[in-house]
Amino acid sequence: MTYSKDGENKMAPPLRSVLQQDLTIEGNISGTGILEIDSQLVGDIAVDTVIVAFNGSTAGKIDARNLTVFGTVEGRIEGKSLVLKAQANVRSDAIVSKCLTIEEGAVVNGTVLRA
């Protein structure tokens, strides 16, 4: 929490981490805030909000409150809200979400379960 000059409480904006296009990462990532993936990531992800960008790809479990996929995801997905954009390509043994939006053109191979 941050404070303004007059002493009022203000919520700090969530921290944003970006994995750029030229990276290939192997390992698990966890934390709070926003993680934008525009690279190749092999490993599990546990972050509040995850964005898999157009050039991004992941292989591993994703556990995120909010997940938006423009790129490629392979692995189990768990989250409150999941948006698969038209360019998304998802291969998953289980997609578990309370709210799932799939845009026309998105490719989904796997099992979808309601949380």
Side-chain angles (χ1 to χ4, degrees):
M1 187 176 319
T2 60
Y3 295 93
S4 64
K5 290 181 181 179
D6 60 4
E8 288 185 36
N9 291 341
K10 294 177 106 179
M11 293 296 293
L15 298 175
R16 185 181 195 100
S17 299
V18 179
L19 303 178
Q20 297 294 332
Q21 271 186 343
D22 58 346
L23 296 173
T24 299
I25 299 170
E26 292 185 26
N28 300 331
I29 296 177
S30 64
T32 58
I34 301 168
L35 175 63
E36 182 176 334
I37 302 167
D38 201 22
S39 58
Q40 285 66 53
L41 174 66
V42 177
D44 295 342
I45 303 166
V47 178
D48 292 338
T49 299
V50 176
I51 301 165
V52 180
F54 292 103
N55 296 309
S57 69
T58 66
K61 180 182 176 183
I62 299 177
D63 185 357
R65 186 175 317 147
N66 301 297
L67 172 63
T68 302
V69 179
F70 293 89
T72 302
V73 171
E74 185 173 338
R76 184 178 178 89
I77 299 170
E78 294 184 23
K80 182 178 176 185
S81 174
L82 171 59
V83 178
L84 304 179
K85 297 300 210 175
Q87 306 82 355
N89 186 347
V90 176
R91 292 179 302 271
S92 178
D93 59 341
I95 299 170
V96 182
S97 181
K98 287 187 177 191
C99 179
L100 174 61
T101 303
I102 303 174
E103 290 186 356
E104 185 176 346
V107 176
V108 180
N109 292 307
T111 304
V112 178
L113 306 168
R114 183 167 173 92

